Amino acid sequence: MLRQRVITGVTLALAFLAAVSLLHLEALALIFGAVAAAGAWEWSGLSGIKSLAVKVVYTLIYISLLALTWAALAIGESPSPDVFQPWLGTACFFWSVVMLMVESYPGTAWIWRSRVSRAVFGWFILTTTWLSTIFLLTLPSGTLLLILMVLAVALADIGAYFAGRRWGRHKLAVRVSPGKTWEGFWGGVASVVSLTLIIAYVLPQQMSHLSLVTLVLLGLAVAGASVLGDLTVSMVKRESGVKDSGTLLPGHGGLLDRIDGLCAAAPVFGLGLLLAGY
């Protein structure tokens, strides 16, 4: 299983790097939109939708939301960062509320038990994730920023996995995801902070907009948000009665099982850059 996970992970990483290195914003928006639409398809199942026709309708509505967002914000015309700020702020506020829901689970289970709530939350989460990645690409050195964010989320996951296996004793959120521990969480955080220090040393010119303290704070925010995204999808899967969001990725389960951390980290990272004056 580990071998299959590594093969799938490396393949996805190479495809991602090739795409962001070779393609323009419009093409990347389309590709990321297709990935997000696949996530919406999986989320329809997590929402309790069984009918194939209704799943198709759910996914088509999501695709329409992406098209409306692109047109309403005139993203193809290189809008200023101020256009994105209200959306990023709303997404971060949403995740702040979700953090409280995760912390108080299963007291908040009645919210997630509603199929309508899960369906609407899925549309919002995946739309703001897509929008946040597009926003990063509109910034100076946007491709680098996007790659670093994805790398940070991956390191948070990898660091948490190995630290949790080696030292994990104290449960992080036993009612939501029994396998996660505080030791794993801090292992992920340490991995991301190490990455930020390396970035500050290796890429001083590209990161000249940001101080070392700001970089570390952004790294901490991304690491924490990625864990929150993971826990949220785990909570949704628990209420849906499934182990994985799907079977799209061999060795990993569903697509949402791989991008759950990005869903929360992307808007947090984007808003953090804006507030830092990047």
Side-chain angles (χ1 to χ4, degrees):
M1 179 65 73
L2 180 59
R3 181 172 178 268
Q4 185 62 69
R5 287 173 65 91
V6 171
I7 293 174
T8 302
V10 170
T11 302
L12 290 175
L14 292 176
F16 168 74
L17 290 173
V20 298
S21 300
L22 300 174
L23 301 178
H24 296 295
L25 176 64
E26 290 79 5
L28 287 173
L30 186 62
I31 291 174
F32 292 163
V35 172
W41 175 268
E42 289 186 350
W43 197 289
S44 68
L46 297 183
S47 300
I49 299 173
K50 305 296 184 182
S51 167
L52 178 62
V54 179
K55 283 187 173 184
V56 170
V57 171
Y58 180 89
T59 306
L60 289 176
I61 291 175
Y62 174 70
I63 293 172
S64 299
L65 288 174
L66 294 189
L68 287 172
T69 301
W70 177 275
L73 301 184
I75 297 175
E77 300 173 12
S78 301
S80 70
D82 293 339
V83 172
F84 294 91
Q85 187 166 350
W87 296 91
L88 297 175
T90 301
C92 290
F93 175 76
F94 168 82
W95 283 109
S96 298
V97 174
V98 169
M99 181 174 62
L100 298 177
M101 292 181 179
V102 171
E103 185 179 1
S104 57
Y105 186 85
T108 56
W110 62 274
I111 299 174
W112 301 97
R113 205 160 286 147
S114 166
R115 294 183 178 183
V116 174
S117 295
R118 295 206 301 271
V120 173
F121 286 164
W123 281 329
F124 179 81
I125 288 172
L126 290 168
T127 299
T128 52
T129 301
W130 173 82
L131 184 63
S132 300
T133 59
I134 301 306
F135 163 70
L136 292 177
L137 291 172
T138 65
L139 296 175
S141 302
T143 298
L144 177 63
L145 290 173
L146 181 58
I147 291 173
L148 292 177
M149 183 197 68
V150 172
L151 180 59
V153 172
L155 282 178
D157 189 38
I158 294 170
Y161 175 78
F162 286 105
R165 289 197 62 179
R166 176 63 179 84
W167 296 292
R169 296 291 185 275
H170 303 87
K171 300 298 181 181
L172 175 64
V174 65
R175 294 183 178 89
V176 177
S177 184
K180 289 183 172 53
T181 63
W182 278 107
E183 290 82 0
F185 170 78
W186 289 116
V189 168
S191 299
V192 176
V193 171
S194 299
L195 173 65
T196 61
L197 296 176
I198 293 172
I199 291 170
Y201 179 77
V202 175
L203 303 172
Q205 184 174 356
Q206 292 86 342
M207 296 295 113
S208 60
H209 300 75
L210 306 170
S211 68
L212 178 59
V213 172
T214 301
L215 271 175
V216 171
L217 290 176
L218 281 173
L220 290 173
V222 167
S226 68
V227 174
L228 176 59
D230 191 333
L231 289 174
T232 300
V233 173
S234 294
M235 186 168 55
V236 173
K237 289 190 292 187
R238 181 170 292 274
E239 287 302 317
S240 304
V242 299
K243 181 179 183 295
D244 296 320
S245 64
T247 58
L248 183 62
L249 302 178
H252 290 264
L255 178 67
L256 288 173
D257 296 316
R258 289 300 91 209
I259 67 170
D260 48 9
L262 285 170
C263 288
V268 167
F269 185 57
L271 184 64
L273 288 173
L274 276 179
L275 295 179
Y278 185 88

